[in-house]
Amino acid sequence: MSSTENGAEASARETGRPSPKVPERPHPVTLREVAEAAGVSTATVSLVVNKKKDARIAEETRRRVTDAIRTLGYRPNAMAKTLVSGTSKFIGLVADGVATTPFAGQIIHGAQDEAWKHGYALLIANTEGNGELEQDAIAMMLEYKVRGILYSTWFHRQTDIPPPLREADFVLVNCFSNEQGARAVVPDEVQGGRSATELLLAHGHRRIAFINATIPAPAKDGRLAGYRQALGNAGIPFDPDLVMEAYPDQEGGYRATAGLLQRGAPAVFCYNDRMAMGLYDGLREHGLAIPGDVAVVGFDNQEVIAAHLRPPLSTVALPHYELGAAGVRVLLGIDPAPGGPAKIHCPAVERASVQVQAHA
Amino acid sequence: MSSTENGAEASARETGRPSPKVPERPHPVTLREVAEAAGVSTATVSLVVNKKKDARIAEETRRRVTDAIRTLGYRPNAMAKTLVSGTSKFIGLVADGVATTPFAGQIIHGAQDEAWKHGYALLIANTEGNGELEQDAIAMMLEYKVRGILYSTWFHRQTDIPPPLREADFVLVNCFSNEQGARAVVPDEVQGGRSATELLLAHGHRRIAFINATIPAPAKDGRLAGYRQALGNAGIPFDPDLVMEAYPDQEGGYRATAGLLQRGAPAVFCYNDRMAMGLYDGLREHGLAIPGDVAVVGFDNQEVIAAHLRPPLSTVALPHYELGAAGVRVLLGIDPAPGGPAKIHCPAVERASVQVQAHA
C-alpha cells in the first residue's frame, strides 16, 4: 500500500469490480417528446399528467400517454403544478439548530415521515439562531408557496413569533408562545419528571434527591413539578433540602457529587443524562456502586450516552420524533389543536442504574 | 401551582405580558394589487420582479413598482421564476440518516451555509436507508428541477449510485463509488490516523497500541494505514501484536481493556471516541490513571462525549461541516473535482488524556 493511498481507494479496488465510467446524463424528457411517442397533442399529455378528472379522454388514449411517460422516464414539472394549484406540496421546517444538534434531529425524522405520509415533502432551513437567516428562510418558503411552516427549537423554550412567520399557516414545535391561538407541540415535562421519580419509587426508594438545572427553562419548572407530584402521590412529604441545582452537563453532575453525599440520599433523579454521566464519575471516585449504593435516573435518553454508561442508565426519553410528527398533524388539521400547547408524552426507559430493594 | 399545570404555562404566565391573539393571516398580495398601487400594468410589474435587464422601463416607473412591492409586502412566486429559467434555486440533499444521526448533522449545516452563500436553498430528504423512500425523494427533487443533488451517508462508506440519481448533477458526500468520474468528498482517514498517532508520539510515547474496529470500513483501513505511516515516519517498527480489534462502541472498548493491559502499552489510539469512553471505565476498574498510566487518544471528536470525559479526551475530528460545504462547492464547480474522491482534512484536538513525558 503506497503512502498516499487511503482506505477508500483500497476498499474500492478490493471489490475487484471494474470501474465503469459514470454515463453522460441524458437530457430531460420533454412534454413534446411524450406527446410524439403517444401520438397525441401536448395538451392531452398535460391533462393526463395534471390528473384533470373532468377532462374527457378515452381510456385507450390515457393508457398510451402513461405508457409513453413510463417508457421515456418523463418527470412532470412540480413547479408548473404549483402555479396552477397555488400551494406547493412542501411543508417548511425552520430550525434554530435541530438539524445540527445531536438528538433533536429526530424532530426532522418524525416530521418528514408524517409529511410524506400525506404527500408532502419537507423543505428544511437551519438558522443556527441567526435572525437574518431566519427571515430569509421564511421568505424563501413563502415564495415557494409552502402549505405551512413548522417553527422548531432544539431545546424546549418560549419563543417570540417572527413577523414573516405570521404570513404562513404555522405550528411551533418544541417551543411555545404566550400569544393566544398560536398552535404548539411541546414535551410533557411534568409527566416526564413524574415518570422519572416513579422509576425510583417503584424500587422502594422513599428518600430521593433531585439535581435540577441552574438554567431557567420550562424543563426546569416542569420536571420539578413532576418530581413533587410523584412524591405526593406516594405520600412522601416534599423536602426542599433534597433538591439541588447544578449546571446541566457532565461537569455539573460531577461537581454535585459532594452535595449529594452530604444529604445521604440513596437515590437521585438527575435533570439530564449528561449530568448523570458526570455524577457516575464522582460516585466512582468515592468508591460508591451504582445502583447498590446510589440508584440514578436521568432524563433525555440521549443517544450514544444513556444506554452505554456503566451501568446503563434508567431515564425518560424526550419524544423528539413524535414532536415532529405531531407538529405536521396539527398543521394539516389531522390532530385538533388544543387550547394551549399540545403536550407529548415522555416515555420512561428502565435500565440497570435502578434496582429492586426489598426494604429501603 | 396546580397539579396539572406545567412549566411551559407557568413560564408564559410569569412574563407578566398580556396574551395577545395571533392576528388573522392576511391574504397573499397579488401581482395585480402591486400593479394597481403603482399605477402600471401587471406586465410591467412582472418585468421588474423578474429583473429583465433588457426591458426598457423608466427609472421612475421601476421605483414606483419597487415601492409598491415593499409597502404591500408582495412575495414573488419562486415557482414561476423556475418555470422560466428551467432550474430552481434548490440543491437537494439525500441523506440515509445524516439529519437524524448525532454529529453527522453538521454535514447539513456546512452544505446549507455554502448553498446560501451562492443563493441556493437546501431541500433535504432523510431516507433512513429505505430504498423506496430514496427513489421517491430523488424523483421529487428532479420534479422540482434542483440544480443538483448531494447524496450523503452518515458514516464513510462505498455506495452504489441509485439509478434516478444519474438524471441529476450529483456529488457523493461522506461516501464514494468505484465508478470513474463519480465526484465525491470523503474524510481523509489516513491523515486522521496519522494525526491521532502523532498526538501520542509528540508526548514521547514509542510503544503505542491501536484498537481498531472489527467492522470493515474505509475508516478501518485508512486509520490503520495512518497509524503505520506515523510510526514509520518516527522510525518505529510496526508491531502487529500492538493492533487489536473491538466492536466500535463503549462496550467494545471496555472489553478490550484486558488485552491492552496484557500488551503493556502505556499509550493507545482508539478507533473512535465511544470505544475510548468504554476503555476509560475499564482502566479505572483496574485502578489505572489516564494519562499517568495510560495515555488515550480517540477519533471523531464526538460532541457531548469527547470534551466531557474525565479527563477530557484527545481526539481527531471528523470534518462533517467541511464535507457538506465542500460537496456544494464541487457540485457548483467552485472547487475542481479531483480524479478520485476529494479528501477532507481531519484536525487533531488535543486535551488532557495525553501528557508530556520527559523520558518514555
Side-chain angles (χ1 to χ4, degrees):
Chain A
M1 195 179 280
S2 86
S3 69
T4 55
E5 185 177 61
N6 82 357
E9 289 159 350
S11 171
R13 196 193 53 212
E14 280 157 14
T15 62
R17 283 189 276 165
S19 289
K21 180 103 182 68
V22 174
E24 286 296 307
R25 182 150 54 100
H27 84 99
V29 176
T30 64
L31 196 76
R32 181 169 303 280
E33 287 167 323
V34 174
E36 280 168 10
V40 300
S41 70
T42 53
T44 303
V45 176
S46 177
L47 288 171
V48 172
V49 165
N50 291 302
K51 299 196 174 69
K52 292 279 175 196
K53 282 190 189 124
D54 47 351
R56 273 189 275 173
I57 299 173
E59 200 41 55
E60 153 67 10
T61 308
R62 188 182 297 275
R63 204 185 41 71
R64 281 215 313 279
V65 172
T66 52
D67 284 356
I69 286 173
R70 202 177 313 112
T71 311
L72 297 174
Y74 172 70
R75 305 256 177 222
N77 189 326
M79 302 292 187
K81 279 197 217 168
T82 298
L83 272 183
V84 175
S85 70
T87 58
S88 68
K89 295 299 267 182
F90 283 135
I91 290 173
L93 174 68
V94 175
D96 69 349
V98 165
T100 58
T101 305
F103 324 113
Q106 287 295 333
I107 288 178
I108 295 177
H109 190 187
Q112 184 187 278
D113 282 2
E114 193 68 28
W116 279 72
K117 203 181 288 178
H118 304 289
Y120 288 89
L122 216 56
L123 188 57
I124 302 174
N126 199 73
T127 65
E128 301 292 319
N130 176 327
E132 202 180 327
L133 194 55
E134 185 174 279
Q135 295 250 348
D136 287 354
I138 295 172
M140 178 272 285
M141 289 174 179
L142 291 170
E143 290 181 15
Y144 280 102
K145 309 297 175 198
V146 291
R147 167 66 183 77
I149 296 178
L150 303 182
Y151 183 85
S152 69
T153 54
W154 72 270
F155 74 94
H156 179 186
R157 63 177 173 85
Q158 187 180 346
T159 184
D160 292 327
I161 298 171
L165 191 59
R166 297 175 193 276
E167 294 180 41
D169 198 10
F170 70 92
V171 175
L172 307 175
V173 174
N174 210 25
C175 53
F176 59 93
S177 159
N178 67 341
E179 293 189 30
Q180 268 181 40
R183 294 177 298 170
V185 290
V186 297
D188 191 341
E189 305 283 1
V190 178
Q191 167 270 316
R194 203 168 54 226
S195 295
T197 311
E198 285 167 355
L199 280 171
L200 294 162
L201 288 166
H203 289 290
H205 289 291
R206 294 184 61 83
R207 193 167 159 72
I208 299 169
F210 175 38
I211 313 182
N212 205 351
T214 43
I215 299 167
K220 178 179 179 173
D221 301 334
R223 292 173 198 177
L224 175 61
Y227 164 79
R228 295 186 64 162
Q229 279 181 16
L231 294 180
N233 294 344
I236 300 170
F238 172 65
D239 177 357
D241 185 54
L242 285 178
V243 178
M244 309 163 54
E245 289 192 355
Y247 193 84
D249 67 0
Q250 286 93 332
E251 291 74 6
Y254 177 79
R255 282 191 299 265
T257 312
L260 178 69
L261 296 182
Q262 258 171 15
R263 287 163 175 81
V268 58
F269 161 31
C270 295
Y271 175 80
N272 68 15
D273 293 347
R274 298 181 63 184
M275 202 186 253
M277 179 172 158
L279 181 67
Y280 268 46
D281 283 341
L283 292 173
R284 266 190 293 241
E285 286 184 10
H286 284 84
L288 296 169
I290 303 163
D293 296 312
V294 182
V296 181
V297 167
F299 205 108
D300 287 359
N301 196 28
Q302 195 158 355
E303 209 181 326
V304 190
I305 289 185
H308 300 282
L309 294 180
R310 185 158 297 272
L313 180 66
S314 290
T315 188
V316 169
L318 275 177
H320 286 128
Y321 180 95
E322 188 49 35
L323 282 167
V328 168
R329 287 196 304 269
V330 170
L331 182 75
L332 297 179
I334 297 163
D335 281 2
K343 289 179 200 112
I344 307 296
H345 183 81
C346 302
V349 181
E350 185 160 354
R351 301 199 181 93
S353 65
V354 295
Q355 193 183 40
V356 179
Q357 301 197 337
H359 307 284
Chain B
M1 194 179 282
S2 87
S3 69
T4 55
E5 184 176 63
N6 82 357
E9 290 159 348
S11 172
R13 198 193 50 211
E14 280 157 15
T15 62
R17 280 190 279 165
S19 288
K21 181 106 181 67
V22 174
E24 286 296 308
R25 182 149 53 99
H27 84 101
V29 176
T30 64
L31 197 75
R32 181 169 304 279
E33 288 168 322
V34 174
E36 281 169 10
V40 301
S41 70
T42 53
T44 302
V45 176
S46 177
L47 288 171
V48 172
V49 165
N50 291 301
K51 299 197 174 70
K52 293 280 177 197
K53 283 192 188 120
D54 47 350
R56 273 189 274 173
I57 299 173
E59 199 43 53
E60 153 70 10
T61 307
R62 188 183 298 273
R63 202 186 43 73
R64 282 216 310 278
V65 172
T66 52
D67 284 355
I69 286 173
R70 202 177 315 114
T71 311
L72 297 174
Y74 172 69
R75 304 257 176 220
N77 190 325
M79 303 290 187
K81 280 196 217 170
T82 299
L83 273 183
V84 175
S85 68
T87 59
S88 67
K89 294 301 267 181
F90 283 135
I91 291 173
L93 174 69
V94 175
D96 70 347
V98 165
T100 58
T101 305
F103 324 114
Q106 287 295 334
I107 289 178
I108 294 177
H109 191 185
Q112 184 187 278
D113 281 2
E114 193 68 29
W116 280 72
K117 205 181 288 178
H118 304 289
Y120 288 89
L122 217 55
L123 188 57
I124 302 174
N126 199 71
T127 65
E128 299 293 317
N130 176 327
E132 201 179 327
L133 193 57
E134 184 173 280
Q135 295 250 347
D136 287 353
I138 295 172
M140 178 272 285
M141 288 174 179
L142 291 169
E143 290 180 16
Y144 280 102
K145 310 297 175 199
V146 291
R147 166 64 184 80
I149 295 178
L150 303 182
Y151 183 85
S152 69
T153 54
W154 71 270
F155 74 95
H156 179 186
R157 63 178 173 85
Q158 187 180 345
T159 186
D160 293 327
I161 298 171
L165 191 60
R166 296 175 194 277
E167 294 181 42
D169 198 11
F170 70 92
V171 175
L172 306 175
V173 174
N174 209 25
C175 53
F176 59 94
S177 158
N178 67 341
E179 293 188 30
Q180 268 180 41
R183 295 177 297 170
V185 291
V186 297
D188 192 340
E189 305 283 0
V190 177
Q191 167 270 317
R194 203 167 56 226
S195 295
T197 312
E198 285 167 354
L199 279 171
L200 294 161
L201 289 166
H203 289 289
H205 290 290
R206 293 184 60 85
R207 192 166 160 74
I208 300 170
F210 175 37
I211 313 182
N212 205 351
T214 43
I215 299 168
K220 178 180 180 173
D221 300 335
R223 293 174 197 177
L224 176 60
Y227 164 78
R228 296 186 63 161
Q229 279 181 19
L231 294 180
N233 293 346
I236 300 170
F238 173 65
D239 177 357
D241 184 53
L242 285 179
V243 179
M244 309 163 56
E245 289 192 355
Y247 193 84
D249 67 1
Q250 285 93 331
E251 291 74 7
Y254 177 78
R255 284 192 298 267
T257 312
L260 177 68
L261 296 181
Q262 259 171 15
R263 285 164 176 81
V268 58
F269 162 31
C270 296
Y271 175 80
N272 67 17
D273 293 347
R274 298 181 61 183
M275 203 186 252
M277 179 172 158
L279 182 67
Y280 268 46
D281 283 341
L283 292 173
R284 266 190 293 240
E285 286 184 11
H286 285 84
L288 295 170
I290 303 163
D293 297 311
V294 183
V296 181
V297 167
F299 204 108
D300 287 359
N301 196 30
Q302 195 158 354
E303 209 181 325
V304 191
I305 289 185
H308 300 283
L309 295 180
R310 186 157 298 272
L313 180 66
S314 289
T315 189
V316 169
L318 275 176
H320 285 129
Y321 180 95
E322 188 49 34
L323 283 166
V328 169
R329 287 197 303 269
V330 171
L331 181 75
L332 297 180
I334 297 163
D335 281 3
K343 288 177 202 117
I344 307 296
H345 183 81
C346 301
V349 181
E350 184 160 355
R351 301 197 180 95
S353 66
V354 296
Q355 193 183 42
V356 178
Q357 301 197 337
H359 307 284

